[in-house]
Amino acid sequence: NAGVMQNPRHLVRRRGQEARLRCSPMKGHSHVYWYRQLPEEGLKFMVYLQKENIIDESGMPKERFSAEFPKEGPSILRIQQVVRGDSAAYFCASSPGQVLNTEAFFGQGTRLTVV
Amino acid sequence: QKEVEQNSGPLSVPEGAIASLNCTYSDRGSQSFFWYRQYSGKSPELIMSIYSNGDKEDGRFTAQLNKASQYVSLLIRDSQPSDSATYLCALTFTGTASKLTFGTGTRLQVTL
């Protein structure tokens, strides 16, 4: 039973390029969450999705960032026109239901470096 | 402003001792509480969840929740060097069942 799978594990992008981060939830999990962790800082919520729906994107910057969780395939976090401040670890978590009632498990993360 | 507060540490305990990690939160209506462990450069790993007042034990770990005083703690018995990590407290705030809010974590060092 595979855990939450994220790829790539490491991603280097030049300023102005696009970054695409992928997350496949655990089997049986239909709720996906994206978090960002800056060096020496805590985990900050970005977005919560269910299949084909964005439920809560209150933590996501209004510009350049978007997320989707299509009917088929992984969830994708897209960052357009990356800047150095986007360099961080991006973690995806999944749960079988809302975290009010269930537990969320994290993937290994994607470490984005913008040069 | 809804907050989750943790002492950043480091908390240093000798091997075999009990480590006590604390977390306070601002929202009296919070219902779901979690402790995650994060090794340096790694992803958060779920240790415990707790939803009701009182203690919940799992092996060497005990989570304690006191909603009236708005704190949740994690006790680690017989601490081992492999327990050295950052421990993150996370919870759901009232009206935000869709997301976990994390504290900044307490770094634990277990010394030989």
Side-chain angles (χ1 to χ4, degrees), chain B residues 12-73:
Chain B
S12 185
V13 300
E15 184 177 7
I18 295 174
S20 178
L21 304 157
N22 300 311
C23 172
T24 59
Y25 58 94
S26 59
D27 181 8
R28 188 175 290 275
S30 294
Q31 298 182 52
S32 306
F33 305 85
F34 306 86
W35 283 100
Y36 287 81
R37 176 176 64 195
Q38 187 175 28
Y39 294 109
S40 181
K42 303 296 185 182
S43 62
E45 174 191 6
L46 180 67
I47 299 175
M48 298 275 285
S49 60
I50 186 167
Y51 304 94
S52 304
N53 280 328
D55 294 0
K56 180 181 178 182
E57 186 174 320
D58 184 0
R60 294 187 297 113
F61 299 98
T62 299
Q64 299 176 319
L65 176 60
N66 185 322
K67 291 186 179 181
S69 299
Q70 296 173 230
Y71 81 79
V72 56
S73 61

Side-chain angles (χ1 to χ4, degrees), chain A residues 33 35 37 100 103-104 107 111, chain B residues 32 36 38 41 43 49 98 100:
Chain A
Y33 315 82
Y35 285 80
Q37 188 172 39
L100 183 64
E103 296 170 341
R111 280 148 184 85
Chain B
S32 306
Y36 287 81
Q38 187 175 28
S43 62
S49 60
S98 58
L100 290 173

